[in-house]
Amino acid sequence: MTDAIDQGCRFEAQFTQMAVANQLAATAKAQASNTNSSAECAECGKEIPEKRRENVPGCKYCTRCQQLAEEGKL
C-alpha cells in the first residue's frame, strides 16, 4: 500500500513530465514560426534585429514601426 508521500512524488513526476513536454512543444513551435520573421521591416525597410526576430516570431516590422502601427499612425 502506498502512502501520501509516494502518491505526491508520483504526481510531481507526472506534472514535471507534462510541463517539460509542453515547454518542448512551445519551443519547437516558436522555432518553426521564427522562419517567417522578416529580416527587413515591411514599412521602413530597416533591418529587424535578430534578437527581436527570435523574441517575436513572425514579426514584420521593426519596433518603431510596430509601435506606430499599434497606435494607428501607419
Side-chain angles (χ1 to χ4, degrees), residues 13-59:
Q14 289 173 343
F15 177 77
T16 301
Q17 265 186 322
M18 288 189 317
V20 169
N22 288 341
Q23 185 63 40
L24 289 172
T27 301
K29 182 178 179 182
Q31 287 176 343
S33 64
N34 193 28
T35 58
N36 295 332
S37 293
S38 297
E40 295 178 352
C41 177
E43 185 63 29
C44 69
K46 292 183 181 177
E47 180 182 358
I48 298 173
E50 183 176 347
K51 186 117 177 144
R52 174 167 169 73
R53 293 192 313 254
E54 290 173 0
N55 291 332
V56 185
C59 65

Side-chain angles (χ1 to χ4, degrees), residues 58-69:
C59 65
K60 304 292 181 203
Y61 301 110
C62 65
T63 53
R64 181 178 172 274
C65 291
Q66 180 67 44
Q67 182 177 3
L68 291 172

